[in-house]
Amino acid sequence: MSRLRAAAEQLSPQQRCGRLLCLMKMRRHRVFLLCTVGLCVISFLHYYKALHYVSLLRELSAPYPNIKSFIMVSGFFWREKGAGATPLSPASPEEAPPLPVLRPSDTKGRVAAGAEGGGGGGGGGGGGVALGNGGVMVGGAGLEMRLREEPAPPHPWEKPEENQRLGAPDEERAEARLKPWNPSRPARPAGPDLPEVPLVGEEQLDALHKNPLPDPLEAMGDLHTRTQQLQHDRTPYFVRTKAGALCFRQGTEVATQKEYSGKLGGPVANGGGDGGARAAGQRKPLEVQQPPSIAPKAKARARGGGGGKRLVKCVCRPGWHGPYCGVPTMVYHSNLPTKERLTPRETPRRVINAININHEFDLLHVRFHELAQAVDVFLICESNFTAYGERRPLSFLRLLLNGTYDYVRHKILYVFLDHFPEGGRQDGWIADDYLRTYLTRNGLSRLAGIRSDDVFVINDADEIPALEGLLFLKLFDGWTEPFAIHMRKSLYGFFWKQFGSLEVVSGCTVGMLRGVYDGDGIKLRRREYYTMPGFRKYENDTGHILVQWSVGSPFHFAGWHCSWCFTPTGIYFKLVSAQNGDFPRWGDYEDKRDLNYIRDLIRTGGWFDGSMQEYPPVEPKEHMYAPKYMLEHYDRYRYLLENPYNKGSRLSEG
């Protein structure tokens, strides 16, 4: 020490100052480093719950089955108590999260309703459970599936039979589900039997504007002020097999009695004397029984003592995943951080789909037919003003009153906007935002019986979510909110597919909509939920960590966005009614409104500014090319499914 002091005394004052400055800088760096570490620790503690939901190694490796062994090794370090297996190794109900418990009173009532609806096969023995109302019965000898959903509440403006959702899948429909038209997209079970209805085409739309009919406001009455009671959805979405597995019916493979017994190695009836009472073509959900990994002697002792556990899991159709076969591929490949914590609900959520309508009537028909199975109420808002502020006829109201939508009318709540927002003519975005605000607040205020965990989804009229994604949101707990939807992008028709996907924040629970977004749908469409005043309060009150995620991915679409998908006349009306804010406003240019010019844009895929885009090659048979209803009614929607102005098109030839 004496030497160091002596060396320090020999330094000149300038050298001493330099040394002191170096020491001060080092101390400052240490303080800065400590502060940075402290902030990181605080941030980590604040988001601990959200981080706790994510098993990093499993999440990174989930889409790749070739590294399943790596997951097994990493699971030793990352396994969480109560967490189910990854989607790559479907768990049995014993490993999966706990199943919902059915109340005996509910079970009896539902079994009785199923028998009354014609669902009864042979008498049900032990191990039989009925889930839902009037549709599925599981007896000791097997399972019989019938789709009969509950009647909708009566409405004074409807005929009594309009509320009945009819139709039960026959044997041919069951066979068709095993061999879907597009193998990459599983077929859907039979939903409500929706009749064929005429579409509003170019000629009708043109005549509607040139020769307007009497104002439907006189016949509307109190249609725009009535309240609607949300009913519980008692559709039997899940079935429990004799062996105890709870399976999502749409995502589970089914087989005949012979095929079923062959796979299980048992008798044809697989339940003794009850099998003879059932039809020979009876279909049952396939299940896989995995014996425990024990020695044969121990296995025999387990059977004799009744203490052994038999692992049972559902056999999933292509496109469905998870221990219950209820997670569609679009969710399986999404960025949802809680995939391992998903559990089926005992009571399905109600899904509310809100849209503003102008003249997208063809796409509206498709929406109704595609989503009627999952959506409980459609909030349809129409105004007698265009987005530009000019008067327009109430075309949707006229179609609603003349019976065009009778097949789904019990699910439609009509919202009428009879005024134009102040300042909307000068700034078109004011009008655009106000439409969604009014739609959400007016529509939700007229729904009775709504619950905070019901799902609210708001779309533009040209955005159609996929049915499978909405069913997942309806039937499972464990997903976070808000959620966006990755949609396939196309222009003028599904034949001009654009690169990438359109990711739109589209939904959340009703509780979050009210608590965070103040019941305003336009705030939901934006991505700034974390800046809302009620953000922290909602998290604290509910205990939920708000983590936005997206249904689907850029390579796994969860819906369709078909922009400017009209006939040339429909595009003309869209041009002249566009808001005064999305510049350039092409409707202000006379040459852009010329129908021949519009037809040429559809033919070439060009844009109004003269630019030409690049489009990938497409084929109508490709996965998620268009909504299934359109493909099933190809001739009716041919002008949207193939380019009508190409030389090879049948429309151009006609």
Side-chain angles (χ1 to χ4, degrees):
M1 293 293 294
S2 59
R3 292 181 180 179
L4 293 175
R5 290 178 181 176
E9 292 176 355
Q10 294 177 358
L11 295 175
S12 63
Q14 294 179 350
Q15 291 176 333
R16 291 180 182 178
C17 291
R19 190 169 185 178
L20 289 174
L21 288 174
C22 291
L23 292 174
M24 292 175 64
K25 289 181 179 180
M26 292 177 63
R27 291 174 181 173
R28 290 176 183 174
H29 287 114
R30 290 176 183 174
V31 172
F32 177 77
L33 181 61
L34 290 175
C35 292
T36 303
V37 172
L39 290 174
C40 293
V41 171
I42 294 173
S43 300
F44 176 79
L45 293 176
H46 184 74
Y47 292 103
Y48 172 74
K49 291 184 179 179
L51 294 174
H52 179 67
Y53 285 151
V54 183
S55 295
L56 183 59
L57 292 179
R58 291 179 179 177
E59 186 65 27
L60 291 176
S61 58
Y64 305 100
N66 58 339
I67 53 175
K68 186 185 296 185
S69 58
F70 174 73
I71 300 175
M72 297 174 60
V73 175
S74 63
F76 178 80
F77 301 98
W78 291 85
R79 182 175 297 276
E80 300 173 1
K81 184 178 180 180
T86 66
L88 292 178
S89 54
S92 68
E94 298 174 5
E95 297 176 346
L99 302 177
V101 180
L102 292 177
R103 295 186 295 274
S105 59
D106 291 347
T107 303
K108 293 178 182 179
R110 294 170 187 173
V111 170
E116 182 180 355
V129 180
L131 297 178
N133 183 15
V136 174
M137 293 185 61
V138 182
L143 170 73
E144 177 168 352
M145 297 183 182
R146 290 182 65 87
L147 178 63
R148 187 178 69 82
E149 303 170 7
E150 66 165 335
H155 296 281
W157 64 87
E158 297 180 357
K159 299 178 183 178
E161 62 272 13
E162 288 177 355
N163 283 330
Q164 302 295 330
R165 296 189 289 180
L166 305 176
D170 54 11
E171 199 63 31
E172 294 180 359
R173 182 68 62 88
E175 291 290 347
R177 290 204 303 270
L178 292 177
K179 298 179 181 180
W181 175 82
N182 188 344
S184 60
R185 186 183 184 201
R188 152 190 338 161
D193 188 10
L194 303 178
E196 300 295 337
V197 293
L199 299 180
V200 181
E202 179 176 344
E203 297 179 359
Q204 293 88 341
L205 190 61
D206 190 27
L208 194 63
H209 287 81
K210 290 182 178 180
N211 303 305
L213 299 175
D215 192 350
L217 285 174
E218 300 177 0
M220 179 170 60
D222 63 345
L223 181 64
H224 63 296
T225 59
R226 296 174 187 171
T227 60
Q228 184 163 328
Q229 178 72 35
L230 272 178
Q231 302 295 319
H232 295 293
D233 187 353
R234 303 186 187 279
T235 306
Y237 295 103
F238 290 91
V239 292
R240 192 182 297 278
T241 65
K242 179 188 173 184
L246 185 66
C247 305
F248 178 53
R249 184 178 60 177
Q250 179 175 342
T252 305
E253 197 65 76
V254 295
T256 61
Q257 290 274 359
K258 185 176 181 180
E259 293 170 345
Y260 182 80
S261 61
K263 287 184 178 291
L264 296 183
V268 172
N270 194 23
D274 292 338
R278 297 188 178 272
Q282 175 68 49
R283 307 191 68 80
K284 306 176 65 174
L286 286 178
E287 58 189 12
V288 175
Q289 299 180 4
Q290 297 179 345
S293 300
I294 55 178
K297 292 183 179 180
K299 189 186 302 183
R301 288 197 302 269
R303 287 200 193 101
K309 293 184 179 180
R310 181 175 55 181
L311 303 181
V312 180
K313 61 185 180 183
C314 312
V315 177
C316 299
R317 292 177 180 272
W320 296 92
H321 311 270
Y324 312 105
C325 295
V327 178
T329 296
M330 60 188 66
V331 175
Y332 174 64
H333 287 286
S334 70
N335 61 345
L336 175 64
T338 56
K339 295 175 185 175
E340 297 178 4
R341 298 176 179 271
L342 300 172
T343 56
R345 293 172 56 91
E346 179 182 357
T347 303
R349 293 183 175 90
R350 278 79 59 85
V351 177
I352 304 163
N353 189 204
I355 63 171
N356 292 98
I357 189 71
N358 187 19
H359 62 285
E360 302 87 353
F361 301 117
D362 285 11
L363 293 179
L364 189 64
H365 275 292
V366 175
R367 175 186 299 272
F368 288 157
H369 284 86
E370 280 285 310
L371 304 181
Q373 182 184 351
V375 174
D376 296 87
V377 61
F378 294 95
L379 303 181
I380 310 296
C381 180
E382 185 180 32
S383 176
N384 54 354
F385 291 91
T386 67
Y388 191 61
E390 297 179 345
R391 290 276 181 174
R392 63 176 295 273
L394 296 175
S395 304
F396 174 75
L397 176 60
R398 183 175 291 110
L399 295 171
L400 186 65
L401 295 175
N402 71 13
T404 301
Y405 300 110
D406 280 355
Y407 64 97
V408 74
R409 189 169 180 177
H410 63 282
K411 289 192 173 188
I412 296 176
L413 182 66
Y414 182 71
V415 178
F416 174 50
L417 176 59
D418 61 351
H419 57 279
F420 192 71
E422 184 178 356
R425 188 62 180 265
Q426 291 75 26
D427 185 354
W429 294 111
I430 294 178
D432 190 71
D433 292 355
Y434 185 74
L435 282 171
R436 295 182 177 90
T437 300
Y438 187 86
L439 161 65
T440 309
R441 290 179 174 170
N442 181 276
L444 292 182
S445 68
R446 293 164 51 201
L447 285 177
I450 196 170
R451 298 192 304 253
S452 61
D453 64 342
D454 289 334
V455 181
F456 178 81
V457 182
I458 185 169
N459 301 123
D460 288 344
D462 57 3
E463 300 169 358
I464 302 178
L467 171 67
E468 294 83 358
L470 294 188
L471 281 176
F472 166 79
L473 298 169
K474 182 185 185 79
L475 301 176
F476 279 85
D477 278 330
W479 47 268
T480 61
E481 54 181 331
F483 59 86
I485 299 178
H486 279 280
M487 300 185 184
R488 179 190 188 272
K489 297 191 301 181
S490 55
L491 181 67
Y492 305 134
F494 296 91
F495 45 85
W496 289 126
K497 176 185 176 182
Q498 297 174 312
F499 287 100
S501 67
L502 179 68
E503 184 185 17
V504 181
V505 179
S506 303
C508 63
T509 62
V510 173
M512 182 178 182
L513 181 69
R514 290 172 170 171
V516 178
Y517 299 113
D518 193 27
D520 191 347
I522 189 59
K523 294 180 180 178
L524 169 63
R525 298 273 291 192
R526 296 167 181 156
R527 299 175 178 270
E528 301 175 354
Y529 65 93
Y530 44 83
T531 64
M532 301 294 176
F535 169 63
R536 294 298 177 200
K537 185 177 185 304
Y538 180 78
E539 278 194 331
N540 296 333
D541 292 345
T542 62
H544 298 163
I545 298 298
L546 302 183
V547 180
Q548 181 181 313
W549 66 289
S550 298
V551 185
S553 73
F555 305 101
H556 300 87
F557 303 125
W560 301 267
H561 175 252
C562 196
S563 184
W564 297 82
C565 288
F566 301 99
T567 61
T569 304
I571 293 178
Y572 170 86
F573 285 119
K574 181 178 176 69
L575 286 171
V576 298
S577 62
Q579 55 150 310
N580 189 34
D582 193 5
F583 297 110
R585 188 176 183 273
W586 300 113
D588 294 334
Y589 301 88
E590 184 177 358
D591 59 324
K592 306 298 181 182
R593 302 194 301 265
D594 182 73
L595 293 182
N596 288 326
Y597 174 77
I598 295 174
R599 292 187 183 98
D600 192 62
L601 291 181
I602 297 175
R603 180 182 63 83
T604 62
W607 188 237
F608 291 94
D609 61 0
S611 63
M612 296 294 297
Q613 303 184 41
E614 292 185 5
Y615 300 97
V618 293
E619 171 63 33
K621 292 185 179 180
E622 71 180 29
H623 180 58
M624 295 293 286
Y625 178 80
K628 184 180 178 183
Y629 179 78
M630 300 183 76
L631 297 173
E632 291 174 345
H633 300 80
Y634 201 97
D635 289 336
R636 296 172 61 184
Y637 294 98
R638 186 178 296 274
Y639 78 99
L640 293 177
L641 298 175
E642 61 182 51
N643 196 326
Y645 303 108
N646 272 350
K647 293 182 179 180
S649 172
R650 287 175 53 184
L651 286 179
S652 61
E653 294 173 0

